[in-house]
Each structure stands twice: as C-alpha cells, then as structure tokens.
Amino acid sequence: MKKALGLLALCAAMNVNAQDINLPKPDLQAPSSTMMEALAQRHSTREYAETPLTNQELSNLCWAACGMSRDDNHRTAPTAMNRQEIRLFVFSTEGVYEYEAQANTLVKKADGDHRDLMASGGGNRGGFRQDFVLQAPVTLLMVIDFEKFGKHDEKAVQMGCVDAGNVSENINLYCQSVGLVTVPRATHDTAGIRALLGLTDEQLPIMNNPVGKPKE
Ligand SMILES: Cc1cc2nc3c(=O)[nH]c(=O)nc-3n(C[C@H](O)[C@H](O)[C@H](O)COP(=O)(O)O)c2cc1C
C-alpha cells in the first residue's frame, strides 16, 4: 500500500498519468526496405489485420511521422518556419492519445474506442462512411494548430495543409518500408473530433492514416 501511494505521488510529481503510454525509444536500426524501394512500392491499402501494433511499432511509427530527430527542436517532418503546428493523435481500441514527441509518450486524451469518428465523414458529408477504417488497430490523426502560427489566414491554412501532408507521407513511406499498410485520408468527423478532444476552431483535424498489418 505504502509502495503504491509512493508511486502515485511520484507520478503526480512527474505529471505522468498512469494511463499514458511511455513509448520505448524508436528503433532506428529496425529492418526496413530502402527508400527507393519504399517509394516504388508505396500504395494505399484499405484492408487490415486486426492484430494490434506493439508499443515498439507505435513508437517507430509516431517517430517516423513527426518525432524529434536531430536535436530536441527539429522533427522528422519539416514544418513552415519550424512552427511544429501539426499535432498527432492516435485513435486505438483503448482510447485516444496525443503523441508528445519530446517525452516520447502517448498522453491519454479520451477513454474508449472512438475510431468511428475516423470512419464517418461527419454531418456535412451526407452520411458518407468508410467502415474499412474500423479494421485498422490504430488511426493516426493530424491536427493543424493555428495557435502555433498566431494567425489563421489563407497563408497559414496553406502551410498547415502542406505540413500535414509531410507528416502523412512520412507515415506512408515508413509503413511501406516495414511491411505495415495504410492510406492517407481526408475523411473524418471534424465536429465530433473537436467535441471529444476539446479542440477549438483554431485546431483543424485535417488528415488521418489508418495503420495496420496486412490482412492475410
Ligand atoms: C489529401 C488526400 C485525401 C485522401 N482522402 C481519402 C479518403 O478520404 N478516403 C480514401 O479511401 N482515400 C483517400 N485518399 C487516398 C487516395 O485515394 C489515393 O492516395 C489515390 O487513389 C492514389 O492511390 P495510391 O495511394 O495507392 O497511389 C486520399 C489521398 C490524399 C492525398
């Protein structure tokens, strides 16, 4: 009991939530195809095995998407003026997490399976759905945070969209190079996501990538 209380106090002091996932270090030596092979073979896949990803696979995936790379202020994906305005959320069967690149941690933002928000196009898309997304154990969602630009004008929208595309392409190429499958998507329920995650109009869910192992 004393030990458990001590651990709780330590977690509180470190601002660590017991439900957060402290990811293992990204494995930069993990076997992968060459960049030229990944480019040649990259393709969209809309069928997935249900097999969950390991924490090591999640770590490698999030790091490839937009992890801290050559120092603690630069990412694997470039952003305009290095504003790092793309927030990455992981929707899994267990909950919704935000990838904190510096801490290499998935911070829990919501309990439960909310992958349906990725399958549905939302109210303004006339009931459009892509239920194949529910097969994938995780979907990575990119959100543009305009507060990092300090403005939300046309140029900021352009830069945010390009930067989200950079993150998505990192995911596409990483998946191809290690035998995972994915598809870049612009379909999701924007209003539902904002309500669930407490996002404002200054945070725009822009693209997502369901990721899984290939279906046998
Ligand atoms: C910005 C963008 C949005 C996309 N949105 C969707 C989508 O909502 N649903 C989907 O199934 N595919 C979506 N795709 C995937 C494209 O349909 C796919 O990349 C294209 O058909 C080319 O196929 P390939 O990726 O196999 O080369 C999107 C791709 C991009 C780049």
Side-chain angles (χ1 to χ4, degrees), residues 51-113:
T51 325
L53 301 189
T54 64
N55 282 354
Q56 186 65 63
E57 286 169 324
L58 272 178
S59 171
N60 294 358
L61 176 64
C62 291
W63 182 83
C66 58
M68 287 295 165
S69 51
R70 60 195 189 274
D71 56 39
D72 66 1
N73 193 32
H74 286 89
R75 308 279 195 125
T76 53
T79 53
M81 298 171 286
N82 197 25
R83 289 295 166 90
Q84 305 185 16
E85 79 283 4
I86 306 300
R87 293 171 64 180
L88 187 72
F89 292 87
V90 178
F91 283 63
S92 78
T93 53
E94 307 292 317
V96 183
Y97 302 83
E98 181 165 5
Y99 177 57
E100 291 290 349
Q102 227 143 16
N104 194 35
T105 298
L106 293 179
V107 176
K108 197 165 207 182
K109 296 288 175 177
D111 267 324
D113 186 351

Side-chain angles (χ1 to χ4, degrees), residues 145-162:
D145 189 351
F146 290 102
E147 285 175 18
K148 293 270 176 79
F149 285 130
K151 54 187 174 184
H152 193 155
D153 58 8
E154 192 184 344
K155 189 72 185 168
V157 172
Q158 285 171 0
M159 291 188 295
C161 289
V162 170

